[in-house]
Amino acid sequence: MALDPVHQSSLSDQVVDRLRAEIVGGRWPLDERIPPEPELMAALGVARGTLREALRALQYTGMIEIRRGDGTFVRARSEVPGALARSGASLAEVLEARAALEPELARLAAMRADAADRDRIEAALRVRSAADDAHWVDADVAVHEAIASAAHNPILFEVYTALLPRLRESMGASLAREGFRRDEPRGHDEVLAAIRAGDPEAAAASARANLSATAEWDLGESPAE
């Protein structure tokens, strides 16, 4: 068997690994600006060209966003969101992925959520109920994210949060259509009630019913969230 020889990783690859570790470890929070280039160059002991090569590599993965003149911001804690964005998945395919994930996340949340999780979901629902059109989509997504977090499965949470940008896109398109219902209880208030009651099957059923209504709405058959 012939194998290619192993080469020592390039300096930029090492910088990528160091920066990725900071992001994955949560030391640089999501949506926050990372340290400026001069500070990173000094800390890592590398030239500007090496640092920028590493930053471009991380931007391609979707973990960071480089804004010219404004800095570099953390966008994801893993490379999953970038891979999803590059996949070219349609909104229908995203809905299928949600159908595979959301009922199970709701079921697990009903089994594992603590008081802080339940309060976080309830607070997100209050914000969603009071939100105007300009802020409603973000508020709705925050509810789903809070439920996913309450499942206490970091792998499922990471995969699910990778879908959130496409979920925002889908909800934004639906919100603009006549007859859209913002007060859909299935997958929202009903899920919280099931989580508070510790009823996994009811939580999963509510999430599943919401997704069925969403699919019908996307097909133009009936108005739902």
Side-chain angles (χ1 to χ4, degrees), residues 30-31 75 81 91 94 98 102 133-146 160-176 180 225:
L30 287 174
D31 299 321
R75 283 289 169 257
L91 291 180
V94 171
R98 288 180 62 194
E102 289 186 11
D133 284 353
H135 301 96
W136 186 86
V137 170
D138 283 340
D140 182 68
V141 170
V143 173
H144 291 283
E145 187 171 7
Y160 183 72
T161 54
L163 298 174
L164 295 185
R166 300 304 303 275
L167 178 57
R168 284 187 175 89
E169 181 182 347
S170 174
M171 290 297 99
S174 295
L175 186 62
F180 180 75
E225 192 270 320

PDB file of all heavy atoms in Angstrom, residues 30-31 75 81 91 94 98 102 133-146 160-176 180 225:
ATOM      1  N   LEU A  30     -20.635  34.414  20.502  1.00  0.00           N
ATOM      2  CA  LEU A  30     -21.332  34.574  19.232  1.00  0.00           C
ATOM      3  C   LEU A  30     -21.747  36.020  19.028  1.00  0.00           C
ATOM      4  O   LEU A  30     -22.177  36.705  19.969  1.00  0.00           O
ATOM      5  CB  LEU A  30     -22.568  33.676  19.196  1.00  0.00           C
ATOM      6  CG  LEU A  30     -22.328  32.178  19.043  1.00  0.00           C
ATOM      7  CD1 LEU A  30     -23.630  31.418  19.178  1.00  0.00           C
ATOM      8  CD2 LEU A  30     -21.685  31.868  17.698  1.00  0.00           C
ATOM      9  N   ASP A  31     -21.630  36.481  17.791  1.00  0.00           N
ATOM     10  CA  ASP A  31     -22.042  37.820  17.364  1.00  0.00           C
ATOM     11  C   ASP A  31     -21.200  38.933  17.966  1.00  0.00           C
ATOM     12  O   ASP A  31     -21.546  40.111  17.824  1.00  0.00           O
ATOM     13  CB  ASP A  31     -23.527  38.069  17.659  1.00  0.00           C
ATOM     14  CG  ASP A  31     -24.439  37.096  16.936  1.00  0.00           C
ATOM     15  OD1 ASP A  31     -24.126  36.780  15.768  1.00  0.00           O
ATOM     16  OD2 ASP A  31     -25.430  36.653  17.523  1.00  0.00           O
ATOM     17  N   ARG A  75     -19.642  34.069  14.135  1.00  0.00           N
ATOM     18  CA  ARG A  75     -20.960  33.752  13.600  1.00  0.00           C
ATOM     19  C   ARG A  75     -21.435  32.348  13.974  1.00  0.00           C
ATOM     20  O   ARG A  75     -22.636  32.068  13.941  1.00  0.00           O
ATOM     21  CB  ARG A  75     -20.944  33.901  12.071  1.00  0.00           C
ATOM     22  CG  ARG A  75     -21.003  35.340  11.625  1.00  0.00           C
ATOM     23  CD  ARG A  75     -22.379  35.906  11.902  1.00  0.00           C
ATOM     24  NE  ARG A  75     -22.448  37.347  11.734  1.00  0.00           N
ATOM     25  CZ  ARG A  75     -22.464  38.229  12.704  1.00  0.00           C
ATOM     26  NH1 ARG A  75     -22.395  37.814  13.956  1.00  0.00           N
ATOM     27  NH2 ARG A  75     -22.548  39.509  12.466  1.00  0.00           N
ATOM     28  N   PRO A  81     -22.742  25.385  10.271  1.00  0.00           N
ATOM     29  CA  PRO A  81     -23.537  26.375   9.533  1.00  0.00           C
ATOM     30  C   PRO A  81     -22.976  26.700   8.162  1.00  0.00           C
ATOM     31  O   PRO A  81     -23.727  26.842   7.193  1.00  0.00           O
ATOM     32  CB  PRO A  81     -23.499  27.596  10.457  1.00  0.00           C
ATOM     33  CG  PRO A  81     -23.286  27.032  11.819  1.00  0.00           C
ATOM     34  CD  PRO A  81     -22.366  25.866  11.602  1.00  0.00           C
ATOM     35  N   LEU A  91     -35.577  25.567   1.032  1.00  0.00           N
ATOM     36  CA  LEU A  91     -36.348  25.755   2.256  1.00  0.00           C
ATOM     37  C   LEU A  91     -37.191  24.520   2.566  1.00  0.00           C
ATOM     38  O   LEU A  91     -37.412  24.195   3.731  1.00  0.00           O
ATOM     39  CB  LEU A  91     -37.234  26.994   2.122  1.00  0.00           C
ATOM     40  CG  LEU A  91     -36.487  28.337   2.083  1.00  0.00           C
ATOM     41  CD1 LEU A  91     -37.481  29.479   1.942  1.00  0.00           C
ATOM     42  CD2 LEU A  91     -35.638  28.530   3.321  1.00  0.00           C
ATOM     43  N   VAL A  94     -34.927  22.226   4.295  1.00  0.00           N
ATOM     44  CA  VAL A  94     -34.711  22.701   5.664  1.00  0.00           C
ATOM     45  C   VAL A  94     -35.907  22.316   6.540  1.00  0.00           C
ATOM     46  O   VAL A  94     -35.744  21.906   7.695  1.00  0.00           O
ATOM     47  CB  VAL A  94     -34.476  24.221   5.687  1.00  0.00           C
ATOM     48  CG1 VAL A  94     -34.471  24.754   7.120  1.00  0.00           C
ATOM     49  CG2 VAL A  94     -33.155  24.563   5.002  1.00  0.00           C
ATOM     50  N   ARG A  98     -35.972  20.209   9.942  1.00  0.00           N
ATOM     51  CA  ARG A  98     -36.644  20.641  11.170  1.00  0.00           C
ATOM     52  C   ARG A  98     -37.584  19.554  11.681  1.00  0.00           C
ATOM     53  O   ARG A  98     -37.665  19.308  12.898  1.00  0.00           O
ATOM     54  CB  ARG A  98     -37.447  21.920  10.914  1.00  0.00           C
ATOM     55  CG  ARG A  98     -36.622  23.179  10.717  1.00  0.00           C
ATOM     56  CD  ARG A  98     -37.542  24.370  10.481  1.00  0.00           C
ATOM     57  NE  ARG A  98     -38.414  24.610  11.634  1.00  0.00           N
ATOM     58  CZ  ARG A  98     -39.486  25.411  11.605  1.00  0.00           C
ATOM     59  NH1 ARG A  98     -39.835  26.011  10.476  1.00  0.00           N
ATOM     60  NH2 ARG A  98     -40.206  25.580  12.692  1.00  0.00           N
ATOM     61  N   GLU A 102     -36.966  18.941  15.497  1.00  0.00           N
ATOM     62  CA  GLU A 102     -37.735  19.693  16.496  1.00  0.00           C
ATOM     63  C   GLU A 102     -38.595  18.815  17.415  1.00  0.00           C
ATOM     64  O   GLU A 102     -38.622  19.066  18.632  1.00  0.00           O
ATOM     65  CB  GLU A 102     -38.562  20.780  15.815  1.00  0.00           C
ATOM     66  CG  GLU A 102     -37.709  21.918  15.292  1.00  0.00           C
ATOM     67  CD  GLU A 102     -38.534  23.069  14.745  1.00  0.00           C
ATOM     68  OE1 GLU A 102     -39.765  23.100  14.955  1.00  0.00           O
ATOM     69  OE2 GLU A 102     -37.935  23.951  14.092  1.00  0.00           O
ATOM     70  N   ASP A 133     -43.664  43.559  13.624  1.00  0.00           N
ATOM     71  CA  ASP A 133     -43.233  42.805  12.446  1.00  0.00           C
ATOM     72  C   ASP A 133     -41.721  42.871  12.232  1.00  0.00           C
ATOM     73  O   ASP A 133     -41.122  41.911  11.741  1.00  0.00           O
ATOM     74  CB  ASP A 133     -43.939  43.334  11.195  1.00  0.00           C
ATOM     75  CG  ASP A 133     -45.391  42.878  11.123  1.00  0.00           C
ATOM     76  OD1 ASP A 133     -45.792  42.045  11.970  1.00  0.00           O
ATOM     77  OD2 ASP A 133     -46.125  43.357  10.239  1.00  0.00           O
ATOM     78  N   ALA A 134     -41.116  44.001  12.609  1.00  0.00           N
ATOM     79  CA  ALA A 134     -39.683  44.169  12.372  1.00  0.00           C
ATOM     80  C   ALA A 134     -38.844  43.235  13.243  1.00  0.00           C
ATOM     81  O   ALA A 134     -37.706  42.907  12.890  1.00  0.00           O
ATOM     82  CB  ALA A 134     -39.278  45.622  12.615  1.00  0.00           C
ATOM     83  N   HIS A 135     -39.408  42.817  14.375  1.00  0.00           N
ATOM     84  CA  HIS A 135     -38.631  42.017  15.317  1.00  0.00           C
ATOM     85  C   HIS A 135     -39.224  40.625  15.549  1.00  0.00           C
ATOM     86  O   HIS A 135     -38.641  39.826  16.281  1.00  0.00           O
ATOM     87  CB  HIS A 135     -38.534  42.749  16.659  1.00  0.00           C
ATOM     88  CG  HIS A 135     -37.885  44.096  16.557  1.00  0.00           C
ATOM     89  ND1 HIS A 135     -38.617  45.261  16.447  1.00  0.00           N
ATOM     90  CD2 HIS A 135     -36.580  44.462  16.529  1.00  0.00           C
ATOM     91  CE1 HIS A 135     -37.784  46.279  16.371  1.00  0.00           C
ATOM     92  NE2 HIS A 135     -36.554  45.819  16.408  1.00  0.00           N
ATOM     93  N   TRP A 136     -40.363  40.334  14.924  1.00  0.00           N
ATOM     94  CA  TRP A 136     -41.055  39.098  15.239  1.00  0.00           C
ATOM     95  C   TRP A 136     -40.272  37.861  14.818  1.00  0.00           C
ATOM     96  O   TRP A 136     -40.230  36.865  15.555  1.00  0.00           O
ATOM     97  CB  TRP A 136     -42.440  39.080  14.589  1.00  0.00           C
ATOM     98  CG  TRP A 136     -43.237  37.882  15.014  1.00  0.00           C
ATOM     99  CD1 TRP A 136     -44.025  37.756  16.126  1.00  0.00           C
ATOM    100  CD2 TRP A 136     -43.286  36.613  14.353  1.00  0.00           C
ATOM    101  NE1 TRP A 136     -44.554  36.496  16.196  1.00  0.00           N
ATOM    102  CE2 TRP A 136     -44.118  35.770  15.127  1.00  0.00           C
ATOM    103  CE3 TRP A 136     -42.702  36.122  13.191  1.00  0.00           C
ATOM    104  CZ2 TRP A 136     -44.393  34.465  14.758  1.00  0.00           C
ATOM    105  CZ3 TRP A 136     -42.959  34.802  12.822  1.00  0.00           C
ATOM    106  CH2 TRP A 136     -43.801  34.000  13.609  1.00  0.00           C
ATOM    107  N   VAL A 137     -39.662  37.880  13.660  1.00  0.00           N
ATOM    108  CA  VAL A 137     -38.950  36.699  13.179  1.00  0.00           C
ATOM    109  C   VAL A 137     -37.839  36.309  14.142  1.00  0.00           C
ATOM    110  O   VAL A 137     -37.700  35.148  14.528  1.00  0.00           O
ATOM    111  CB  VAL A 137     -38.390  36.931  11.761  1.00  0.00           C
ATOM    112  CG1 VAL A 137     -37.453  35.800  11.367  1.00  0.00           C
ATOM    113  CG2 VAL A 137     -39.520  37.033  10.742  1.00  0.00           C
ATOM    114  N   ASP A 138     -37.029  37.304  14.561  1.00  0.00           N
ATOM    115  CA  ASP A 138     -35.954  37.008  15.507  1.00  0.00           C
ATOM    116  C   ASP A 138     -36.529  36.478  16.822  1.00  0.00           C
ATOM    117  O   ASP A 138     -35.944  35.572  17.449  1.00  0.00           O
ATOM    118  CB  ASP A 138     -35.121  38.258  15.778  1.00  0.00           C
ATOM    119  CG  ASP A 138     -34.162  38.574  14.644  1.00  0.00           C
ATOM    120  OD1 ASP A 138     -33.866  37.667  13.842  1.00  0.00           O
ATOM    121  OD2 ASP A 138     -33.706  39.723  14.554  1.00  0.00           O
ATOM    122  N   ALA A 139     -37.669  37.035  17.248  1.00  0.00           N
ATOM    123  CA  ALA A 139     -38.290  36.587  18.491  1.00  0.00           C
ATOM    124  C   ALA A 139     -38.788  35.152  18.364  1.00  0.00           C
ATOM    125  O   ALA A 139     -38.667  34.355  19.300  1.00  0.00           O
ATOM    126  CB  ALA A 139     -39.433  37.523  18.876  1.00  0.00           C
ATOM    127  N   ASP A 140     -39.354  34.808  17.213  1.00  0.00           N
ATOM    128  CA  ASP A 140     -39.838  33.440  16.998  1.00  0.00           C
ATOM    129  C   ASP A 140     -38.679  32.450  16.982  1.00  0.00           C
ATOM    130  O   ASP A 140     -38.747  31.378  17.604  1.00  0.00           O
ATOM    131  CB  ASP A 140     -40.602  33.371  15.675  1.00  0.00           C
ATOM    132  CG  ASP A 140     -41.170  31.986  15.412  1.00  0.00           C
ATOM    133  OD1 ASP A 140     -42.084  31.579  16.148  1.00  0.00           O
ATOM    134  OD2 ASP A 140     -40.684  31.313  14.487  1.00  0.00           O
ATOM    135  N   VAL A 141     -37.613  32.812  16.291  1.00  0.00           N
ATOM    136  CA  VAL A 141     -36.438  31.939  16.236  1.00  0.00           C
ATOM    137  C   VAL A 141     -35.859  31.745  17.632  1.00  0.00           C
ATOM    138  O   VAL A 141     -35.407  30.654  17.983  1.00  0.00           O
ATOM    139  CB  VAL A 141     -35.389  32.521  15.271  1.00  0.00           C
ATOM    140  CG1 VAL A 141     -34.066  31.769  15.393  1.00  0.00           C
ATOM    141  CG2 VAL A 141     -35.896  32.446  13.834  1.00  0.00           C
ATOM    142  N   ALA A 142     -35.880  32.802  18.450  1.00  0.00           N
ATOM    143  CA  ALA A 142     -35.346  32.703  19.812  1.00  0.00           C
ATOM    144  C   ALA A 142     -36.124  31.686  20.642  1.00  0.00           C
ATOM    145  O   ALA A 142     -35.545  30.995  21.494  1.00  0.00           O
ATOM    146  CB  ALA A 142     -35.370  34.068  20.487  1.00  0.00           C
ATOM    147  N   VAL A 143     -37.424  31.566  20.404  1.00  0.00           N
ATOM    148  CA  VAL A 143     -38.222  30.556  21.106  1.00  0.00           C
ATOM    149  C   VAL A 143     -37.744  29.157  20.740  1.00  0.00           C
ATOM    150  O   VAL A 143     -37.510  28.299  21.607  1.00  0.00           O
ATOM    151  CB  VAL A 143     -39.721  30.711  20.776  1.00  0.00           C
ATOM    152  CG1 VAL A 143     -40.516  29.548  21.366  1.00  0.00           C
ATOM    153  CG2 VAL A 143     -40.250  32.030  21.306  1.00  0.00           C
ATOM    154  N   HIS A 144     -37.604  28.910  19.451  1.00  0.00           N
ATOM    155  CA  HIS A 144     -37.155  27.593  19.002  1.00  0.00           C
ATOM    156  C   HIS A 144     -35.754  27.275  19.540  1.00  0.00           C
ATOM    157  O   HIS A 144     -35.470  26.131  19.932  1.00  0.00           O
ATOM    158  CB  HIS A 144     -37.167  27.533  17.477  1.00  0.00           C
ATOM    159  CG  HIS A 144     -38.534  27.548  16.879  1.00  0.00           C
ATOM    160  ND1 HIS A 144     -39.346  26.448  16.862  1.00  0.00           N
ATOM    161  CD2 HIS A 144     -39.241  28.548  16.296  1.00  0.00           C
ATOM    162  CE1 HIS A 144     -40.506  26.752  16.280  1.00  0.00           C
ATOM    163  NE2 HIS A 144     -40.458  28.026  15.928  1.00  0.00           N
ATOM    164  N   GLU A 145     -34.895  28.278  19.553  1.00  0.00           N
ATOM    165  CA  GLU A 145     -33.534  28.066  20.046  1.00  0.00           C
ATOM    166  C   GLU A 145     -33.548  27.751  21.547  1.00  0.00           C
ATOM    167  O   GLU A 145     -32.788  26.897  22.018  1.00  0.00           O
ATOM    168  CB  GLU A 145     -32.677  29.294  19.775  1.00  0.00           C
ATOM    169  CG  GLU A 145     -31.210  29.095  20.110  1.00  0.00           C
ATOM    170  CD  GLU A 145     -30.344  30.246  19.642  1.00  0.00           C
ATOM    171  OE1 GLU A 145     -30.891  31.269  19.179  1.00  0.00           O
ATOM    172  OE2 GLU A 145     -29.112  30.126  19.748  1.00  0.00           O
ATOM    173  N   ALA A 146     -34.422  28.425  22.301  1.00  0.00           N
ATOM    174  CA  ALA A 146     -34.514  28.176  23.744  1.00  0.00           C
ATOM    175  C   ALA A 146     -35.003  26.757  24.021  1.00  0.00           C
ATOM    176  O   ALA A 146     -34.528  26.085  24.948  1.00  0.00           O
ATOM    177  CB  ALA A 146     -35.435  29.200  24.398  1.00  0.00           C
ATOM    178  N   TYR A 160     -29.028  21.841  15.084  1.00  0.00           N
ATOM    179  CA  TYR A 160     -30.253  22.612  14.936  1.00  0.00           C
ATOM    180  C   TYR A 160     -29.965  24.096  14.736  1.00  0.00           C
ATOM    181  O   TYR A 160     -30.579  24.745  13.887  1.00  0.00           O
ATOM    182  CB  TYR A 160     -31.160  22.418  16.151  1.00  0.00           C
ATOM    183  CG  TYR A 160     -32.473  23.148  16.010  1.00  0.00           C
ATOM    184  CD1 TYR A 160     -33.436  22.695  15.120  1.00  0.00           C
ATOM    185  CD2 TYR A 160     -32.732  24.313  16.725  1.00  0.00           C
ATOM    186  CE1 TYR A 160     -34.633  23.368  14.954  1.00  0.00           C
ATOM    187  CE2 TYR A 160     -33.925  24.996  16.562  1.00  0.00           C
ATOM    188  CZ  TYR A 160     -34.868  24.517  15.677  1.00  0.00           C
ATOM    189  OH  TYR A 160     -36.048  25.198  15.500  1.00  0.00           O
ATOM    190  N   THR A 161     -29.049  24.644  15.508  1.00  0.00           N
ATOM    191  CA  THR A 161     -28.772  26.073  15.380  1.00  0.00           C
ATOM    192  C   THR A 161     -28.172  26.406  14.016  1.00  0.00           C
ATOM    193  O   THR A 161     -28.273  27.552  13.562  1.00  0.00           O
ATOM    194  CB  THR A 161     -27.846  26.574  16.500  1.00  0.00           C
ATOM    195  OG1 THR A 161     -26.655  25.778  16.547  1.00  0.00           O
ATOM    196  CG2 THR A 161     -28.547  26.523  17.844  1.00  0.00           C
ATOM    197  N   ALA A 162     -27.573  25.406  13.363  1.00  0.00           N
ATOM    198  CA  ALA A 162     -27.081  25.641  12.002  1.00  0.00           C
ATOM    199  C   ALA A 162     -28.220  25.921  11.034  1.00  0.00           C
ATOM    200  O   ALA A 162     -28.030  26.550   9.988  1.00  0.00           O
ATOM    201  CB  ALA A 162     -26.278  24.438  11.516  1.00  0.00           C
ATOM    202  N   LEU A 163     -29.438  25.464  11.392  1.00  0.00           N
ATOM    203  CA  LEU A 163     -30.603  25.701  10.537  1.00  0.00           C
ATOM    204  C   LEU A 163     -31.217  27.076  10.749  1.00  0.00           C
ATOM    205  O   LEU A 163     -32.046  27.511   9.949  1.00  0.00           O
ATOM    206  CB  LEU A 163     -31.684  24.645  10.818  1.00  0.00           C
ATOM    207  CG  LEU A 163     -31.354  23.185  10.551  1.00  0.00           C
ATOM    208  CD1 LEU A 163     -32.502  22.310  11.031  1.00  0.00           C
ATOM    209  CD2 LEU A 163     -31.092  22.958   9.072  1.00  0.00           C
ATOM    210  N   LEU A 164     -30.856  27.761  11.840  1.00  0.00           N
ATOM    211  CA  LEU A 164     -31.578  28.975  12.216  1.00  0.00           C
ATOM    212  C   LEU A 164     -31.524  30.091  11.162  1.00  0.00           C
ATOM    213  O   LEU A 164     -32.535  30.775  10.972  1.00  0.00           O
ATOM    214  CB  LEU A 164     -31.074  29.479  13.572  1.00  0.00           C
ATOM    215  CG  LEU A 164     -31.368  28.541  14.750  1.00  0.00           C
ATOM    216  CD1 LEU A 164     -30.931  29.182  16.058  1.00  0.00           C
ATOM    217  CD2 LEU A 164     -32.847  28.166  14.806  1.00  0.00           C
ATOM    218  N   PRO A 165     -30.391  30.303  10.479  1.00  0.00           N
ATOM    219  CA  PRO A 165     -30.436  31.336   9.431  1.00  0.00           C
ATOM    220  C   PRO A 165     -31.484  31.046   8.357  1.00  0.00           C
ATOM    221  O   PRO A 165     -32.180  31.948   7.885  1.00  0.00           O
ATOM    222  CB  PRO A 165     -29.014  31.313   8.859  1.00  0.00           C
ATOM    223  CG  PRO A 165     -28.179  30.826   9.986  1.00  0.00           C
ATOM    224  CD  PRO A 165     -29.026  29.797  10.680  1.00  0.00           C
ATOM    225  N   ARG A 166     -31.635  29.770   7.968  1.00  0.00           N
ATOM    226  CA  ARG A 166     -32.642  29.423   6.969  1.00  0.00           C
ATOM    227  C   ARG A 166     -34.033  29.494   7.573  1.00  0.00           C
ATOM    228  O   ARG A 166     -35.008  29.789   6.873  1.00  0.00           O
ATOM    229  CB  ARG A 166     -32.379  28.019   6.415  1.00  0.00           C
ATOM    230  CG  ARG A 166     -31.026  27.855   5.755  1.00  0.00           C
ATOM    231  CD  ARG A 166     -30.787  28.864   4.626  1.00  0.00           C
ATOM    232  NE  ARG A 166     -31.798  28.810   3.604  1.00  0.00           N
ATOM    233  CZ  ARG A 166     -31.783  27.967   2.567  1.00  0.00           C
ATOM    234  NH1 ARG A 166     -30.797  27.082   2.454  1.00  0.00           N
ATOM    235  NH2 ARG A 166     -32.738  27.993   1.669  1.00  0.00           N
ATOM    236  N   LEU A 167     -34.152  29.205   8.876  1.00  0.00           N
ATOM    237  CA  LEU A 167     -35.448  29.354   9.542  1.00  0.00           C
ATOM    238  C   LEU A 167     -35.877  30.818   9.524  1.00  0.00           C
ATOM    239  O   LEU A 167     -37.046  31.123   9.271  1.00  0.00           O
ATOM    240  CB  LEU A 167     -35.355  28.842  10.977  1.00  0.00           C
ATOM    241  CG  LEU A 167     -36.612  28.968  11.845  1.00  0.00           C
ATOM    242  CD1 LEU A 167     -37.792  28.257  11.200  1.00  0.00           C
ATOM    243  CD2 LEU A 167     -36.354  28.408  13.243  1.00  0.00           C
ATOM    244  N   ARG A 168     -34.944  31.714   9.790  1.00  0.00           N
ATOM    245  CA  ARG A 168     -35.253  33.152   9.711  1.00  0.00           C
ATOM    246  C   ARG A 168     -35.726  33.527   8.314  1.00  0.00           C
ATOM    247  O   ARG A 168     -36.683  34.277   8.153  1.00  0.00           O
ATOM    248  CB  ARG A 168     -34.017  33.974  10.072  1.00  0.00           C
ATOM    249  CG  ARG A 168     -33.692  34.021  11.542  1.00  0.00           C
ATOM    250  CD  ARG A 168     -32.555  34.998  11.822  1.00  0.00           C
ATOM    251  NE  ARG A 168     -32.321  35.137  13.231  1.00  0.00           N
ATOM    252  CZ  ARG A 168     -31.490  34.373  13.926  1.00  0.00           C
ATOM    253  NH1 ARG A 168     -30.818  33.417  13.301  1.00  0.00           N
ATOM    254  NH2 ARG A 168     -31.328  34.543  15.218  1.00  0.00           N
ATOM    255  N   GLU A 169     -35.033  33.003   7.321  1.00  0.00           N
ATOM    256  CA  GLU A 169     -35.391  33.293   5.925  1.00  0.00           C
ATOM    257  C   GLU A 169     -36.807  32.819   5.626  1.00  0.00           C
ATOM    258  O   GLU A 169     -37.613  33.540   5.018  1.00  0.00           O
ATOM    259  CB  GLU A 169     -34.385  32.617   5.004  1.00  0.00           C
ATOM    260  CG  GLU A 169     -34.617  32.859   3.529  1.00  0.00           C
ATOM    261  CD  GLU A 169     -33.618  32.121   2.660  1.00  0.00           C
ATOM    262  OE1 GLU A 169     -32.607  31.627   3.199  1.00  0.00           O
ATOM    263  OE2 GLU A 169     -33.849  32.035   1.443  1.00  0.00           O
ATOM    264  N   SER A 170     -37.133  31.613   6.060  1.00  0.00           N
ATOM    265  CA  SER A 170     -38.452  31.051   5.813  1.00  0.00           C
ATOM    266  C   SER A 170     -39.532  31.855   6.520  1.00  0.00           C
ATOM    267  O   SER A 170     -40.573  32.188   5.937  1.00  0.00           O
ATOM    268  CB  SER A 170     -38.484  29.594   6.284  1.00  0.00           C
ATOM    269  OG  SER A 170     -39.781  29.064   6.179  1.00  0.00           O
ATOM    270  N   MET A 171     -39.307  32.178   7.799  1.00  0.00           N
ATOM    271  CA  MET A 171     -40.292  32.935   8.570  1.00  0.00           C
ATOM    272  C   MET A 171     -40.473  34.346   8.014  1.00  0.00           C
ATOM    273  O   MET A 171     -41.589  34.881   7.991  1.00  0.00           O
ATOM    274  CB  MET A 171     -39.882  33.003  10.033  1.00  0.00           C
ATOM    275  CG  MET A 171     -39.985  31.684  10.781  1.00  0.00           C
ATOM    276  SD  MET A 171     -41.695  31.069  10.864  1.00  0.00           S
ATOM    277  CE  MET A 171     -41.687  29.862   9.539  1.00  0.00           C
ATOM    278  N   GLY A 172     -39.375  34.955   7.564  1.00  0.00           N
ATOM    279  CA  GLY A 172     -39.477  36.290   6.980  1.00  0.00           C
ATOM    280  C   GLY A 172     -40.342  36.300   5.733  1.00  0.00           C
ATOM    281  O   GLY A 172     -41.152  37.209   5.529  1.00  0.00           O
ATOM    282  N   ALA A 173     -40.191  35.255   4.904  1.00  0.00           N
ATOM    283  CA  ALA A 173     -41.012  35.162   3.695  1.00  0.00           C
ATOM    284  C   ALA A 173     -42.470  34.917   4.045  1.00  0.00           C
ATOM    285  O   ALA A 173     -43.380  35.488   3.437  1.00  0.00           O
ATOM    286  CB  ALA A 173     -40.473  34.052   2.803  1.00  0.00           C
ATOM    287  N   SER A 174     -42.725  34.077   5.050  1.00  0.00           N
ATOM    288  CA  SER A 174     -44.100  33.767   5.440  1.00  0.00           C
ATOM    289  C   SER A 174     -44.793  34.966   6.063  1.00  0.00           C
ATOM    290  O   SER A 174     -45.981  35.200   5.838  1.00  0.00           O
ATOM    291  CB  SER A 174     -44.110  32.594   6.425  1.00  0.00           C
ATOM    292  OG  SER A 174     -43.636  31.419   5.816  1.00  0.00           O
ATOM    293  N   LEU A 175     -44.053  35.734   6.860  1.00  0.00           N
ATOM    294  CA  LEU A 175     -44.627  36.878   7.555  1.00  0.00           C
ATOM    295  C   LEU A 175     -45.195  37.903   6.582  1.00  0.00           C
ATOM    296  O   LEU A 175     -46.174  38.602   6.890  1.00  0.00           O
ATOM    297  CB  LEU A 175     -43.565  37.528   8.443  1.00  0.00           C
ATOM    298  CG  LEU A 175     -44.021  38.660   9.366  1.00  0.00           C
ATOM    299  CD1 LEU A 175     -45.052  38.166  10.367  1.00  0.00           C
ATOM    300  CD2 LEU A 175     -42.821  39.275  10.079  1.00  0.00           C
ATOM    301  N   ALA A 176     -44.595  37.982   5.397  1.00  0.00           N
ATOM    302  CA  ALA A 176     -45.031  38.960   4.408  1.00  0.00           C
ATOM    303  C   ALA A 176     -46.283  38.530   3.656  1.00  0.00           C
ATOM    304  O   ALA A 176     -46.871  39.330   2.919  1.00  0.00           O
ATOM    305  CB  ALA A 176     -43.893  39.228   3.412  1.00  0.00           C
ATOM    306  N   PHE A 180     -51.063  35.248   7.383  1.00  0.00           N
ATOM    307  CA  PHE A 180     -50.099  34.587   8.254  1.00  0.00           C
ATOM    308  C   PHE A 180     -50.504  34.741   9.719  1.00  0.00           C
ATOM    309  O   PHE A 180     -50.863  35.813  10.175  1.00  0.00           O
ATOM    310  CB  PHE A 180     -48.715  35.202   8.042  1.00  0.00           C
ATOM    311  CG  PHE A 180     -47.641  34.594   8.901  1.00  0.00           C
ATOM    312  CD1 PHE A 180     -47.130  33.349   8.599  1.00  0.00           C
ATOM    313  CD2 PHE A 180     -47.132  35.275   9.995  1.00  0.00           C
ATOM    314  CE1 PHE A 180     -46.129  32.783   9.375  1.00  0.00           C
ATOM    315  CE2 PHE A 180     -46.139  34.720  10.777  1.00  0.00           C
ATOM    316  CZ  PHE A 180     -45.628  33.482  10.463  1.00  0.00           C
ATOM    317  N   GLU A 225     -48.104  29.039  11.309  1.00  0.00           N
ATOM    318  CA  GLU A 225     -46.718  29.486  11.538  1.00  0.00           C
ATOM    319  C   GLU A 225     -45.726  28.484  10.955  1.00  0.00           C
ATOM    320  O   GLU A 225     -45.989  27.307  10.946  1.00  0.00           O
ATOM    321  CB  GLU A 225     -46.500  29.650  13.045  1.00  0.00           C
ATOM    322  CG  GLU A 225     -45.222  30.374  13.376  1.00  0.00           C
ATOM    323  CD  GLU A 225     -44.078  29.399  13.529  1.00  0.00           C
ATOM    324  OE1 GLU A 225     -44.269  28.335  14.092  1.00  0.00           O
ATOM    325  OE2 GLU A 225     -42.984  29.715  13.042  1.00  0.00           O
TER     326      GLU A 225
END
